[in-house]
Amino acid sequence: MANTFSQIYLQFVFAVKGRESLISKSNKEELHKYITSLVQARGVKLIAINCMPDHIHLFVGFKPTILISDFVKEIKVQSNEFINSKGWIKGKFRWQEGYGVFSYSHSHINIVVNYIQNQEAHHQKKTFKQEYMGLLKKFEIPFEDEYLFDFIEQ
């Protein structure tokens, strides 16, 4: 029987519902650990993760047997439930609908990891909206404003 060999590196970006700043620094490490366990339970290799107060970046070595949309949905649903069970915020936590997913070659791994690990410094210069729009343009992904995240004017 022939084997399947692949090398798929994906960066996922998704935002908190309403782009509210609900992920506190004090809960960030615990959320990272939980999401890491969700990713690994699906047989996917987590390369980098970083939660900002209003969005998250995941960089993974992906498997061709997994549907991207199912992967994101499961991570978002289960992490919603986790955050809500912890009572970290008043009200109900939810991720926004939709996400960004961007593919990279093996030669870009260190660059993407560095980018994700340095999100705090990066966002001192650029808003999330500027960052996200920049990724869409860099990857030449056509989009319509009405289908982007619900951005809070900054």
Side-chain angles (χ1 to χ4, degrees):
M1 179 189 288
N3 289 314
T4 300
F5 301 97
S6 67
Q7 188 178 70
I8 304 168
Y9 299 102
L10 299 176
Q11 178 188 12
F12 293 91
V13 181
F14 45 95
V16 174
K17 178 79 174 167
R19 291 276 336 294
E20 293 184 83
S21 294
L22 299 178
I23 301 171
S24 70
K25 285 186 180 183
S26 61
N27 298 325
K28 183 175 171 173
E29 187 175 335
E30 188 174 356
L31 183 57
H32 284 181
K33 288 178 182 176
Y34 183 74
I35 291 175
T36 298
S37 71
L38 295 176
V39 169
Q40 291 173 341
R42 284 150 183 81
V44 173
K45 180 182 179 185
L46 183 72
I47 301 170
I49 183 172
N50 199 349
C51 292
M52 295 302 294
D54 61 352
H55 70 282
I56 185 171
H57 291 262
L58 299 173
F59 186 45
V60 301
F62 211 70
K63 293 173 62 172
T65 56
I66 300 173
L67 290 175
I68 290 173
S69 58
D70 288 349
F71 175 80
V72 175
K73 179 181 177 183
E74 292 168 2
I75 299 299
K76 288 168 81 173
V77 166
Q78 291 184 347
S79 60
N80 280 345
E81 292 170 358
F82 175 77
I83 293 168
N84 286 319
S85 74
K86 291 291 188 175
W88 288 342
I89 65 166
K90 292 180 181 180
K92 187 171 181 162
F93 179 89
R94 291 190 342 223
W95 297 108
Q96 276 193 356
E97 289 185 36
Y99 56 91
V101 60
F102 310 96
S103 61
Y104 294 89
S105 68
H106 188 269
S107 64
H108 290 102
I109 290 175
N110 290 338
I111 294 167
V112 177
V113 168
N114 186 51
Y115 173 78
I116 290 172
Q117 289 176 340
N118 290 298
Q119 281 290 295
E120 286 83 0
H122 177 73
H123 284 294
Q124 290 177 358
K125 298 174 187 169
K126 281 187 176 180
T127 67
F128 173 61
K129 182 176 183 177
Q130 291 169 328
E131 172 187 49
Y132 194 71
M133 300 285 284
L135 285 168
L136 293 173
K137 289 176 183 173
K138 174 183 172 182
F139 285 89
E140 299 179 8
I141 299 172
F143 64 92
E144 296 179 36
D145 288 343
E146 64 194 85
Y147 298 114
L148 290 177
F149 296 129
D150 296 328
F151 289 105
I152 298 170
E153 292 303 317
Q154 298 181 1

